[in-house]
Amino acid sequence: MNTRLRFAFVLFLLASLVWAGVAYTDFLKALGQRESRMNPEVTNQFGYVGLFQFGEAALQDAGLYAGDGTPKTNDWAGRFTGKYGVNSLADLLANPDAQVRAVTAYHEQVWNTLMKVHGAESYLGTTIHGIPITASGLVAAAHLIGAGTVGEWLKSGGATDPADGNGTKLVSYLRQFAGYTLAFTPPSYAEVLTATPTSGSPGGYVHTPAPLKPSAGTGSAALLKGTSSGYTSAAQGFFGATGYQMGQVRQLLVGIAAMALVTWIAWVVVAKWRGLSEGFDTKRDLAVDVGRAIVLTWIVLLIMM
């Protein structure tokens, strides 16, 4: 690889890192670290297995396990369905890609249940006892303790304080996993391994499908007419009208601008390096122009943040 291509490749990687921190792969990496320390072969004392500590019920929902009549004991005495090439518990533990596909399918079911059955769309963008309610936080909490328990907690206004068998509280997952993207196309295990999750940020860009069925009397039409929508905050109204949380569009635009600016820096470097190699520019010209581009990029990003 010649020097010009090396410069372009490095700066392309820098541009791609602009998006790091809140993607679905980051969510899965953070969840895997929390659940199993990214060990796809682990089984805990309650019989939960793999990267994401699946129980029998979760894998039944994901279509990998046919069940055995005792979904709460996790003794794995039943039959696997062969989905994703998994015909036994040993197959599952040896196949982290299948585990990623299974957890993605499970999360999609959880999300749909939260939206259809428990009306989760009316809570997104709000806080309960200071805890930001985001789609990824709700899915992570449901992964921990079940969608039904999460729905009851929402409807109670946080009056309950549920925890799993290890004593891990629902609210801790709501906080830890707030603000990640939900995308129900599974990545590869290799992509999850290379993810670099920061903490989820409630103000970050969270690409989540719009509510499946908006509540009656809500949405953009009600807001434009000035009628009572039942929303208790601007954040709820914004989500009801657009299907996105407040701050999502802004963060998306910041990300696009950052990607464009870093790509522009790459173009400046390649162009000036070409000019240097062909005798049109000096090393000082290259350093000054690249330095200006970097400083300008930082100024623009600081203004937009």
Side-chain angles (χ1 to χ4, degrees):
M1 182 182 293
N2 63 38
T3 306
R4 281 181 289 174
L5 289 177
R6 189 179 296 115
F7 267 117
F9 179 70
V10 169
L11 287 173
F12 175 78
L13 290 179
L14 289 174
S16 67
L17 289 176
V18 167
W19 298 98
V22 296
Y24 183 56
T25 51
D26 300 311
F27 174 70
L28 292 181
K29 178 71 172 287
L31 187 62
Q33 288 173 331
R34 180 67 177 80
E35 292 285 306
S36 69
R37 298 184 181 179
M38 292 303 294
N39 182 352
E41 300 178 358
V42 69
T43 301
N44 78 1
Q45 69 268 33
F46 301 110
Y48 291 92
V49 300
L51 284 168
F52 307 104
Q53 292 293 275
F54 295 108
E56 288 184 8
L59 285 188
Q60 281 186 262
D61 288 343
L64 275 75
Y65 190 64
D68 56 19
T70 58
K72 294 185 178 180
T73 61
N74 299 321
D75 54 11
W76 304 103
R79 178 180 61 85
F80 283 79
T81 65
K83 188 175 183 179
Y84 307 143
V86 174
N87 294 290
S88 66
L89 182 59
D91 284 350
L92 178 70
L93 297 178
N95 191 340
D97 274 302
Q99 294 182 37
V100 172
R101 295 174 73 182
V103 82
T104 301
Y106 176 62
H107 286 167
E108 183 172 13
Q109 285 207 2
V110 164
W111 175 246
N112 287 335
T113 298
L114 287 168
M115 297 291 281
K116 288 180 177 178
V117 178
H118 301 290
E121 76 273 11
S122 64
Y123 299 92
L124 295 174
T126 68
T127 60
I128 296 178
H129 299 319
I131 302 168
I133 306 302
T134 67
S136 60
L138 290 174
V139 167
H143 183 101
L144 174 74
I145 207 164
T149 303
V150 174
E152 292 171 4
W153 182 86
L154 287 171
K155 291 171 185 175
S156 75
T160 58
D161 192 19
D164 73 350
N166 289 315
T168 303
K169 293 185 176 181
L170 176 154
V171 294
S172 70
Y173 268 46
L174 283 175
R175 285 194 179 100
Q176 182 176 354
F177 297 102
Y180 287 97
T181 293
L182 293 182
F184 299 127
T185 300
S188 68
Y189 174 57
E191 290 173 314
V192 174
L193 281 180
T194 58
T196 54
T198 58
S199 59
S201 170
Y205 172 58
V206 189
H207 176 68
T208 297
L212 298 174
K213 186 177 181 181
S215 302
T218 63
S220 57
L223 293 174
L224 290 173
K225 292 178 182 178
T227 59
S228 176
S229 66
Y231 294 123
T232 58
S233 69
Q236 280 186 298
F238 185 86
F239 186 88
T242 66
Y244 294 93
Q245 297 177 36
M246 291 185 72
Q248 292 177 341
V249 175
R250 177 180 178 276
Q251 287 299 109
L252 173 61
L253 293 176
V254 169
I256 292 172
M259 191 74 170
L261 286 167
V262 176
T263 303
W264 172 61
I265 291 176
W267 179 84
V268 170
V269 170
V270 172
K272 299 308 291 187
W273 187 263
R274 181 178 180 181
L276 177 64
S277 64
E278 294 179 357
F280 296 113
D281 293 302
T282 66
K283 290 183 179 179
R284 182 179 182 279
D285 292 332
L286 186 150
V288 170
D289 288 346
V290 172
R292 285 174 179 167
I294 293 172
V295 169
L296 179 60
T297 296
W298 277 110
I299 291 173
V300 172
L301 291 178
L302 286 172
I303 291 171
M304 296 182 69
M305 295 300 288

